[in-house]
Amino acid sequence: NGVSDRSLKEIAKLPHLKDLNLTACHRITSAGLAELGKSLSLERITLRNCAGLHDSGMAEVAKIPTLTDVDISWCMSLRD
């Protein structure tokens, strides 16, 4: 799909965003996830099968204060 780090920068600005599905978004990186870390409303994020997702990106996701649910199934680049 066409979601990229630039897209995430704009998505993070949505003030009422609660649920974001980024399944199989292979173009997103830790830099894009850092932009999402600025979100003040995001509660759920699906990152299933995101080949470019690494531990550093998950550290950025962990900064989202309102986040309660994260799906990282089939993200083979992540370590335990």
Side-chain angles (χ1 to χ4, degrees):
N1 67 35
V3 177
S4 65
D5 290 345
R6 177 182 262 169
S7 305
L8 293 181
K9 184 174 183 174
E10 297 306 314
I11 289 169
K13 295 176 185 177
L14 299 171
H16 303 291
L17 180 66
K18 301 256 186 234
D19 193 346
L20 182 60
N21 187 334
L22 297 170
T23 297
C25 290
H26 303 294
R27 294 175 50 202
I28 61 174
T29 68
S30 297
L33 293 175
E35 293 298 331
L36 279 184
K38 299 173 186 175
S39 173
L40 299 176
S41 61
L42 191 60
E43 295 175 2
R44 289 173 301 280
I45 187 167
T46 302
L47 296 164
R48 184 179 310 174
N49 195 27
C50 290
L53 186 61
H54 299 282
D55 293 336
S56 58
M58 288 311 301
E60 298 299 335
V61 170
K63 294 177 184 177
I64 303 171
T66 52
L67 200 61
T68 59
D69 186 35
V70 179
D71 180 351
I72 54 170
S73 56
W74 296 102
C75 292
M76 302 305 182
S77 298
L78 294 177
R79 291 182 266 149
D80 291 335

